[in-house]
Amino acid sequence: MATKAKSTRKTAKAKAKPKAAVKKAAPKKAVKAAVTFMPTKLKLVRPVPSDIEIAQAGKLKPILQIAQELGIKESELEMFGPYKAKIKLEILKRLANRKNGKYIDVTAITPTPLGEGKTTTTVGLSQALGAHLGKKVMTVIRQPSQGPTFGIKGGAAGGGYSQIIPMEDFNLHLTGDIHAITAAHNLCAAALDARIMHEANTPDDEKLFNALCPADKKGQRKFSPSMLRRLKKLGIGKTNPNDLTPEERARFSRLDIGYDGVQWRRVIDINDRMLRDIQTGLGKDEAGFEHKSGYDITVASEIMAILALTTDLADMRDRLGRMVVAVSRKGEAVTAEDLGVAGALTVLMKDAIKPNLMQTLEGTPAIVHAGPFANIAHGQSSIIADKIALKMADYVITESGFGADIGMEKFMDIKCRYSGLTPSLVVLVATVRALKMHGGGPKVVAGKPLAPEYTDENLELLQKGLPNMVQHIENALKYGVNVVVAVNSFANDTPAEVEMVRKAALEAGAMDAVVSRHWMEGGKGALKLAEAVVKACEKPSNFKFLYPLNIPVKEKIETIAREIYRADGVDYTPEAEAKIEQFTKLGFGDLPLCMAKTHLSFTDKADQKGAPRGFRVTISDIRASVGAGFLYPLLGTMRTMPGLPTRPVFYDVDLDLETGKVVGLF
């Protein structure tokens, strides 16, 4: 708009002034320069400072400049201060006919508890492509939970000289999306508990109907939009409450839920182990309705999974309505729509659906959106963010949570299935440290020094651990997608160790294997990786899913266990058997699977390292996230609420009262 107005003024002056005066007006080149990408130069320091020191020393471009360099209009943004903004979904309509860029998923081998630098690699690769090779690139990653940020793992903005900034905003509240999910999820829980109580206190169906559809001052009654959706689900085509028969009123009004059928807990975005199991209904007015419940961490909420998998506002409204919150005494699924709360949940989520625009340390654009757990949920940033990025950039670098057996499998079989997007390449992050662990090295514990086996050259140990990386490469190739291995190099890695990893990756079928030093050098340290990615993206691929949706639930489970984990078979507890039968009867059997298992092993036992063979996995339970659109079998015991250690990292987090800067984050 500003450019158009300037052009109009310039034309008016040209008519009123001689030719010489026209030459003094702002030339067109000045306008073009304002939208040309300008990388932010890094000032590398040795030894490498802490993540937060690097981030706070970084030079931030105004977020409007980031948007202009991408071609995003100011009217398509909602500003959250000078350095972050939400992108309105209307941008997808404007860009609908634009060709998609290359779609690259960054994943990893089975990690140590320290993580292998997947996010750092994602950011470093983007910086190399955009700031050094001149490619139009976008990073798309998840927003971290405050649980690990204040617990033991720390933030998830990347690390060293490959980070998303402002790092403090990224790791804390950002624009409030996680808080919106917390509010929406807990509203649904409150609605469910209230409905159970009010139905029990109103045994007469007519009275219950009248309470749900009260007459106004003129004696008129009407159904709310959510009520009309429930009527449609019940096959009742009437829209006037007075027209319903007594039988229809009873069917409409009474959900008939007992506490034993409730499948919806509450959430909070901190690690609070004492809330894992709680007793509710202890107030005086709630006497007789005491029951056991509990809390999960917010990023494990189905609403978070929905945010990441939805495609637009209408789709999110439908998905929120389909969430199964309980099973009635008759064995029927009770949804958020049945509770009448789905519309209100959508209102609470209407801003959270808009992705957040940020930047890397080298000034390349980044979108941060959604943050579902990678073991309980699918662990991906949002489909909406990816779709916007693919229209704006030639290369989109996204990331899957945890190792490839969890994150990449879910990226392919769940996210790509719902988005319709086809990946161009898989970048598999590997470290000498993790491969030594898989070769039988000592236990790696966060917060404790590494054993000498990890800091000294040990080719024998490394050789024994290589099968873990090989299996991940083979798994990616099963989807018909090419692989480039990024060897995330640490200071103690020797040339012989790195070369051993590279050689093994190439022999396993990787298109290339490249050493990357982006943590200590930023994009410059990932240049060879970026060049390999560009080259590999030009090669043909033949993407395919691992399994079709129309096969039985057990067959899908066993396909993943056999093909991805290399298990010999699957065992089911009686509870899991009953759930599979129940969900199949309810019509949920054609949903994809989101396997919930430890991220520290191909098996369901965290201490089984390497690439084990001759084992079986056990499905202890299976749950339904119908709104998100998947069933999630639980392999072994999975916690949905982490706990704080004796010495959480929040001890170090504080505010410098003189400068106003946050200190202690990492």
Side-chain angles (χ1 to χ4, degrees):
M1 293 295 290
T3 305
K4 184 176 180 182
K6 188 173 184 179
S7 178
T8 304
R9 290 195 299 270
K10 183 177 173 183
T11 304
K13 288 179 181 179
K15 291 179 180 179
K17 294 184 178 182
K19 199 170 187 178
V22 176
K23 290 182 180 179
K24 292 180 181 179
K28 289 183 178 180
K29 287 184 179 179
V31 176
K32 287 184 179 180
V35 294
T36 300
F37 172 72
M38 297 294 292
T40 303
K41 291 185 178 180
L42 289 177
K43 185 178 180 181
L44 303 178
V45 178
R46 296 291 182 268
V48 178
S50 69
D51 289 351
I52 194 166
E53 288 176 309
I54 293 172
Q56 290 178 343
K59 185 179 179 182
L60 283 156
K61 293 192 286 189
I63 202 66
L64 280 176
Q65 181 181 342
I66 298 287
Q68 288 167 354
E69 290 171 351
L70 280 169
I72 299 176
K73 298 177 181 179
E74 186 173 351
S75 61
E76 293 170 332
L77 297 176
E78 290 179 3
M79 302 298 294
F80 279 76
Y83 304 118
K84 57 184 184 289
K86 279 193 167 293
I87 306 173
K88 297 178 183 178
L89 303 193
E90 290 87 332
I91 194 172
L92 284 169
K93 294 180 181 178
R94 178 170 69 84
L95 303 176
N97 296 324
R98 188 178 291 185
K99 183 180 177 182
N100 283 348
K102 303 292 185 181
Y103 194 29
I104 300 150
D105 180 46
V106 178
T107 184
I109 63 172
T110 306
T112 68
L114 306 178
E116 307 318 304
K118 196 164 62 271
T119 304
T120 310
T121 302
T122 300
V123 177
L125 173 57
S126 291
Q127 291 179 165
L129 286 166
H132 297 270
L133 293 184
K135 305 294 184 182
K136 200 167 186 181
V137 65
M138 287 194 78
T139 311
V140 185
I141 58 177
R142 293 176 293 164
Q143 179 187 354
S145 164
Q146 289 181 162
T149 297
F150 290 127
I152 192 167
K153 186 179 179 183
Y161 287 101
S162 296
Q163 295 187 56
I164 305 293
I165 54 175
M167 181 258 224
E168 306 95 307
D169 294 14
F170 178 96
N171 283 318
L172 298 175
H173 306 282
L174 196 53
T175 57
D177 295 348
I178 293 181
H179 299 317
I181 293 165
T182 302
H185 185 109
N186 291 339
L187 173 61
C188 188
L192 179 58
D193 279 344
R195 185 60 173 264
I196 292 173
M197 186 183 77
H198 290 308
E199 282 197 18
N201 287 337
T202 315
D204 184 275
D205 291 337
E206 185 67 21
K207 287 184 178 179
L208 182 61
F209 179 78
N210 290 335
L212 289 170
C213 298
D216 60 20
K217 293 179 180 179
K218 297 181 179 179
Q220 300 296 315
R221 296 196 290 190
K222 66 177 182 179
F223 290 121
S224 69
S226 191
M227 289 176 171
L228 291 172
R229 288 179 181 239
R230 172 161 169 75
L231 287 167
K232 184 177 180 181
K233 172 185 172 181
L234 295 173
I236 300 172
K238 300 172 183 177
T239 58
N240 186 337
N242 296 322
D243 293 342
L244 268 65
T245 66
E247 181 186 356
E248 290 170 338
R249 292 185 180 194
R251 286 180 61 213
F252 166 79
S253 303
R254 196 162 298 280
L255 301 180
D256 193 27
I257 310 167
Y259 286 120
D260 57 344
V262 170
Q263 299 184 6
W264 196 261
R265 290 153 54 98
R266 286 168 172 77
V267 298
I268 190 171
D269 192 38
I270 54 174
N271 291 354
D272 195 341
R273 64 173 71 243
M274 295 301 176
L275 292 178
R276 286 173 180 164
D277 295 289
I278 62 170
Q279 185 86 0
T280 68
L282 301 181
K284 180 181 177 182
D285 294 337
E286 291 73 41
F289 295 95
E290 303 89 348
H291 63 283
K292 290 184 177 181
S293 185
Y295 274 77
D296 301 325
I297 197 161
T298 298
V299 289
S301 167
E302 183 176 353
I303 297 177
M304 174 63 89
I306 287 172
L307 180 65
L309 290 174
T310 193
T311 52
D312 55 39
L313 199 57
D315 177 67
M316 184 173 73
R317 172 66 179 79
D318 288 341
R319 286 175 179 270
L320 291 171
R322 292 199 301 268
M323 294 188 306
V324 176
V325 297
V327 176
S328 73
R329 292 185 176 91
K330 296 178 181 178
E332 298 172 341
V334 178
T335 66
E337 199 72 76
D338 294 324
L339 283 177
V341 75
L345 303 184
T346 308
V347 170
L348 287 172
M349 292 293 295
K350 68 180 179 62
D351 293 320
I353 197 175
K354 303 165 190 171
N356 306 291
L357 182 63
M358 297 183 76
Q359 64 190 287
T360 70
L361 278 167
E362 296 192 58
T364 59
I367 297 181
V368 182
H369 198 217
F373 254 25
N375 46 11
I376 298 298
H378 53 97
Q380 317 290 328
S381 56
S382 77
I383 287 174
I384 287 175
D386 286 356
K387 285 190 170 183
I388 292 173
L390 286 165
K391 296 297 183 184
M392 305 298 302
D394 296 326
Y395 295 88
V396 173
I397 318 296
T398 190
E399 173 194 343
S400 297
F402 291 136
D405 57 315
I406 297 181
M408 184 201 68
E409 186 271 315
K410 295 173 183 179
F411 173 83
M412 302 292 188
D413 286 316
I414 298 176
K415 187 176 183 182
C416 290
R417 207 182 288 268
Y418 282 121
S419 69
L421 300 172
T422 301
S424 308
L425 182 70
V426 165
V427 174
L428 182 74
V429 179
T431 64
V432 170
R433 176 182 69 193
L435 290 170
K436 285 181 176 179
M437 179 194 70
H438 289 297
K443 190 174 182 180
V444 176
V445 181
K448 293 186 178 181
L450 289 170
E453 286 87 343
Y454 298 108
T455 55
D456 300 336
E457 183 175 283
N458 192 324
L459 297 178
E460 182 181 357
L461 198 61
L462 178 61
Q463 180 74 47
K464 291 178 180 177
L466 290 173
N468 183 272
M469 177 184 69
V470 169
Q471 184 167 324
H472 284 296
I473 293 170
E474 292 172 349
N475 286 350
L477 294 175
K478 288 182 178 183
Y479 290 94
V481 181
N482 295 320
V483 180
V484 167
V485 172
V487 184
N488 185 19
S489 181
F490 297 157
N492 293 320
D493 298 345
T494 68
E497 289 175 331
V498 168
E499 186 56 31
M500 179 179 280
V501 177
R502 287 190 66 258
K503 184 179 178 182
L506 294 172
E507 289 176 352
M511 191 159 285
D512 206 343
V514 182
V515 178
S516 192
R517 296 183 175 86
H518 44 274
W519 181 82
M520 60 191 80
E521 298 177 11
K524 179 183 175 183
L527 260 175
K528 289 185 178 179
L529 175 62
E531 290 168 350
V533 164
V534 170
K535 184 177 179 181
C537 281
E538 298 307 316
K539 301 294 183 179
S541 61
N542 184 29
F543 175 68
K544 56 188 175 183
F545 298 117
L546 188 68
Y547 56 83
L549 293 181
N550 60 356
I551 61 176
V553 172
K554 279 190 174 182
E555 191 174 339
K556 283 183 270 196
I557 290 173
E558 289 155 17
T559 298
I560 296 172
R562 181 180 64 252
E563 297 295 326
I564 301 299
Y565 313 149
R566 306 296 200 275
D568 284 351
V570 180
D571 300 316
Y572 302 87
T573 65
E575 185 177 12
E577 292 274 12
K579 288 283 188 69
I580 290 171
E581 183 180 357
Q582 179 188 52
F583 293 150
T584 301
K585 286 181 179 178
L586 289 170
F588 306 151
D590 287 343
L591 293 174
L593 299 184
C594 187
M595 303 287 270
K597 78 170 186 70
T598 177
H599 61 290
L600 298 173
S601 173
F602 274 118
T603 76
D604 55 3
K605 297 176 178 60
D607 60 350
Q608 299 294 305
K609 305 301 181 184
R613 296 293 186 270
F615 66 94
R616 298 177 69 85
V617 296
T618 299
I619 306 299
S620 58
D621 195 5
I622 182 167
R623 300 174 186 172
S625 290
V626 180
F630 54 73
L631 301 179
Y632 64 100
L634 276 69
L635 283 69
T637 302
M638 296 300 303
R639 280 203 176 120
T640 53
M641 170 59 82
L644 290 172
T646 304
R647 209 287 191 183
V649 297
F650 66 62
Y651 272 87
D652 302 309
V653 179
D654 213 323
L655 196 67
D656 186 320
L657 298 178
E658 292 186 6
T659 64
K661 288 185 176 181
V662 175
V663 297
L665 281 178
F666 74 98

mmCIF file of all heavy atoms in Angstrom, residues 280-301:
data_model
loop_
_atom_site.group_PDB
_atom_site.id
_atom_site.type_symbol
_atom_site.label_atom_id
_atom_site.label_comp_id
_atom_site.label_asym_id
_atom_site.label_seq_id
_atom_site.Cartn_x
_atom_site.Cartn_y
_atom_site.Cartn_z
ATOM 1 N N THR A 280 -10.887 -35.455 42.611
ATOM 2 C CA THR A 280 -11.668 -34.241 42.400
ATOM 3 C C THR A 280 -13.062 -34.383 43.002
ATOM 4 O O THR A 280 -13.480 -35.472 43.396
ATOM 5 C CB THR A 280 -11.799 -33.912 40.893
ATOM 6 O OG1 THR A 280 -12.610 -34.911 40.280
ATOM 7 C CG2 THR A 280 -10.442 -33.882 40.218
ATOM 8 N N GLY A 281 -13.780 -33.266 43.026
ATOM 9 C CA GLY A 281 -15.144 -33.271 43.544
ATOM 10 C C GLY A 281 -15.209 -33.311 45.052
ATOM 11 O O GLY A 281 -16.159 -33.866 45.630
ATOM 12 N N LEU A 282 -14.218 -32.721 45.723
ATOM 13 C CA LEU A 282 -14.173 -32.777 47.182
ATOM 14 C C LEU A 282 -14.859 -31.588 47.845
ATOM 15 O O LEU A 282 -14.885 -31.488 49.071
ATOM 16 C CB LEU A 282 -12.706 -32.845 47.649
ATOM 17 C CG LEU A 282 -11.900 -34.046 47.125
ATOM 18 C CD1 LEU A 282 -10.483 -34.007 47.666
ATOM 19 C CD2 LEU A 282 -12.578 -35.357 47.503
ATOM 20 N N GLY A 283 -15.410 -30.665 47.051
ATOM 21 C CA GLY A 283 -16.114 -29.518 47.614
ATOM 22 C C GLY A 283 -17.467 -29.904 48.194
ATOM 23 O O GLY A 283 -18.045 -30.953 47.872
ATOM 24 N N LYS A 284 -17.996 -29.044 49.045
ATOM 25 C CA LYS A 284 -19.269 -29.307 49.724
ATOM 26 C C LYS A 284 -20.409 -29.496 48.724
ATOM 27 O O LYS A 284 -21.236 -30.409 48.862
ATOM 28 C CB LYS A 284 -19.581 -28.151 50.666
ATOM 29 C CG LYS A 284 -20.888 -28.304 51.427
ATOM 30 C CD LYS A 284 -21.127 -27.105 52.325
ATOM 31 C CE LYS A 284 -22.468 -27.219 53.044
ATOM 32 N NZ LYS A 284 -22.738 -26.032 53.899
ATOM 33 N N ASP A 285 -20.472 -28.640 47.705
ATOM 34 C CA ASP A 285 -21.573 -28.711 46.735
ATOM 35 C C ASP A 285 -21.439 -29.889 45.776
ATOM 36 O O ASP A 285 -22.385 -30.192 45.046
ATOM 37 C CB ASP A 285 -21.641 -27.408 45.929
ATOM 38 C CG ASP A 285 -22.027 -26.218 46.800
ATOM 39 O OD1 ASP A 285 -22.641 -26.442 47.855
ATOM 40 O OD2 ASP A 285 -21.698 -25.078 46.410
ATOM 41 N N GLU A 286 -20.250 -30.514 45.749
ATOM 42 C CA GLU A 286 -20.021 -31.616 44.814
ATOM 43 C C GLU A 286 -20.028 -32.973 45.519
ATOM 44 O O GLU A 286 -19.570 -33.976 44.960
ATOM 45 C CB GLU A 286 -18.682 -31.426 44.087
ATOM 46 C CG GLU A 286 -18.670 -30.259 43.108
ATOM 47 C CD GLU A 286 -18.647 -28.909 43.813
ATOM 48 O OE1 GLU A 286 -17.917 -28.771 44.828
ATOM 49 O OE2 GLU A 286 -19.368 -28.004 43.372
ATOM 50 N N ALA A 287 -20.525 -33.010 46.738
ATOM 51 C CA ALA A 287 -20.570 -34.263 47.496
ATOM 52 C C ALA A 287 -21.309 -35.334 46.701
ATOM 53 O O ALA A 287 -22.384 -35.087 46.144
ATOM 54 C CB ALA A 287 -21.250 -34.035 48.841
ATOM 55 N N GLY A 288 -20.735 -36.499 46.637
ATOM 56 C CA GLY A 288 -21.321 -37.594 45.877
ATOM 57 C C GLY A 288 -20.754 -37.724 44.481
ATOM 58 O O GLY A 288 -21.056 -38.686 43.775
ATOM 59 N N PHE A 289 -19.940 -36.744 44.078
ATOM 60 C CA PHE A 289 -19.360 -36.772 42.731
ATOM 61 C C PHE A 289 -17.830 -36.833 42.776
ATOM 62 O O PHE A 289 -17.153 -36.446 41.833
ATOM 63 C CB PHE A 289 -19.835 -35.553 41.923
ATOM 64 C CG PHE A 289 -21.306 -35.565 41.658
ATOM 65 C CD1 PHE A 289 -22.181 -34.882 42.490
ATOM 66 C CD2 PHE A 289 -21.825 -36.303 40.607
ATOM 67 C CE1 PHE A 289 -23.547 -34.907 42.264
ATOM 68 C CE2 PHE A 289 -23.192 -36.339 40.375
ATOM 69 C CZ PHE A 289 -24.061 -35.644 41.204
ATOM 70 N N GLU A 290 -17.299 -37.308 43.908
ATOM 71 C CA GLU A 290 -15.853 -37.465 44.021
ATOM 72 C C GLU A 290 -15.388 -38.546 43.032
ATOM 73 O O GLU A 290 -16.042 -39.571 42.854
ATOM 74 C CB GLU A 290 -15.464 -37.889 45.444
ATOM 75 C CG GLU A 290 -15.934 -36.937 46.531
ATOM 76 C CD GLU A 290 -17.330 -37.263 47.044
ATOM 77 O OE1 GLU A 290 -18.021 -38.095 46.402
ATOM 78 O OE2 GLU A 290 -17.742 -36.694 48.069
ATOM 79 N N HIS A 291 -14.269 -38.295 42.401
ATOM 80 C CA HIS A 291 -13.724 -39.298 41.486
ATOM 81 C C HIS A 291 -12.242 -39.022 41.231
ATOM 82 O O HIS A 291 -11.759 -37.913 41.440
ATOM 83 C CB HIS A 291 -14.493 -39.310 40.155
ATOM 84 C CG HIS A 291 -14.392 -38.033 39.370
ATOM 85 N ND1 HIS A 291 -15.112 -36.908 39.705
ATOM 86 C CD2 HIS A 291 -13.654 -37.701 38.280
ATOM 87 C CE1 HIS A 291 -14.839 -35.935 38.847
ATOM 88 N NE2 HIS A 291 -13.960 -36.391 37.982
ATOM 89 N N LYS A 292 -11.559 -40.038 40.761
ATOM 90 C CA LYS A 292 -10.143 -39.903 40.451
ATOM 91 C C LYS A 292 -9.959 -39.345 39.049
ATOM 92 O O LYS A 292 -10.693 -39.680 38.122
ATOM 93 C CB LYS A 292 -9.440 -41.265 40.568
ATOM 94 C CG LYS A 292 -9.314 -41.762 41.994
ATOM 95 C CD LYS A 292 -8.530 -43.070 42.042
ATOM 96 C CE LYS A 292 -8.347 -43.542 43.481
ATOM 97 N NZ LYS A 292 -7.567 -44.806 43.558
ATOM 98 N N SER A 293 -8.975 -38.475 38.921
ATOM 99 C CA SER A 293 -8.633 -37.915 37.616
ATOM 100 C C SER A 293 -7.136 -37.636 37.613
ATOM 101 O O SER A 293 -6.383 -38.273 38.352
ATOM 102 C CB SER A 293 -9.443 -36.632 37.353
ATOM 103 O OG SER A 293 -9.206 -36.159 36.042
ATOM 104 N N GLY A 294 -6.691 -36.721 36.807
ATOM 105 C CA GLY A 294 -5.274 -36.393 36.757
ATOM 106 C C GLY A 294 -4.985 -35.334 35.721
ATOM 107 O O GLY A 294 -5.877 -34.864 35.003
ATOM 108 N N TYR A 295 -3.724 -34.934 35.676
ATOM 109 C CA TYR A 295 -3.263 -33.912 34.737
ATOM 110 C C TYR A 295 -2.212 -34.496 33.792
ATOM 111 O O TYR A 295 -1.376 -35.312 34.195
ATOM 112 C CB TYR A 295 -2.615 -32.749 35.492
ATOM 113 C CG TYR A 295 -3.563 -31.688 35.976
ATOM 114 C CD1 TYR A 295 -4.356 -31.909 37.097
ATOM 115 C CD2 TYR A 295 -3.668 -30.466 35.331
ATOM 116 C CE1 TYR A 295 -5.225 -30.935 37.567
ATOM 117 C CE2 TYR A 295 -4.531 -29.481 35.790
ATOM 118 C CZ TYR A 295 -5.306 -29.724 36.904
ATOM 119 O OH TYR A 295 -6.167 -28.753 37.360
ATOM 120 N N ASP A 296 -2.261 -34.062 32.553
ATOM 121 C CA ASP A 296 -1.186 -34.292 31.593
ATOM 122 C C ASP A 296 -0.507 -32.951 31.330
ATOM 123 O O ASP A 296 -1.056 -31.899 31.657
ATOM 124 C CB ASP A 296 -1.736 -34.852 30.276
ATOM 125 C CG ASP A 296 -2.474 -36.165 30.478
ATOM 126 O OD1 ASP A 296 -2.063 -36.947 31.344
ATOM 127 O OD2 ASP A 296 -3.478 -36.394 29.770
ATOM 128 N N ILE A 297 0.652 -32.984 30.708
ATOM 129 C CA ILE A 297 1.276 -31.732 30.293
ATOM 130 C C ILE A 297 0.564 -31.228 29.039
ATOM 131 O O ILE A 297 0.084 -32.026 28.224
ATOM 132 C CB ILE A 297 2.789 -31.914 30.071
ATOM 133 C CG1 ILE A 297 3.487 -30.546 30.044
ATOM 134 C CG2 ILE A 297 3.085 -32.739 28.832
ATOM 135 C CD1 ILE A 297 4.976 -30.614 30.281
ATOM 136 N N THR A 298 0.450 -29.922 28.877
ATOM 137 C CA THR A 298 -0.391 -29.349 27.817
ATOM 138 C C THR A 298 -0.016 -29.848 26.429
ATOM 139 O O THR A 298 -0.893 -30.076 25.590
ATOM 140 C CB THR A 298 -0.318 -27.816 27.857
ATOM 141 O OG1 THR A 298 -0.823 -27.373 29.125
ATOM 142 C CG2 THR A 298 -1.143 -27.199 26.747
ATOM 143 N N VAL A 299 1.274 -30.034 26.179
ATOM 144 C CA VAL A 299 1.670 -30.455 24.831
ATOM 145 C C VAL A 299 1.235 -31.887 24.517
ATOM 146 O O VAL A 299 1.340 -32.332 23.367
ATOM 147 C CB VAL A 299 3.187 -30.286 24.621
ATOM 148 C CG1 VAL A 299 3.537 -28.808 24.529
ATOM 149 C CG2 VAL A 299 3.990 -30.943 25.739
ATOM 150 N N ALA A 300 0.738 -32.621 25.535
ATOM 151 C CA ALA A 300 0.175 -33.951 25.295
ATOM 152 C C ALA A 300 -1.327 -33.896 25.025
ATOM 153 O O ALA A 300 -1.946 -34.920 24.755
ATOM 154 C CB ALA A 300 0.442 -34.867 26.496
ATOM 155 N N SER A 301 -1.916 -32.700 25.082
ATOM 156 C CA SER A 301 -3.350 -32.545 24.839
ATOM 157 C C SER A 301 -3.696 -32.873 23.392
ATOM 158 O O SER A 301 -2.945 -32.546 22.461
ATOM 159 C CB SER A 301 -3.772 -31.102 25.147
ATOM 160 O OG SER A 301 -5.077 -30.840 24.655
#
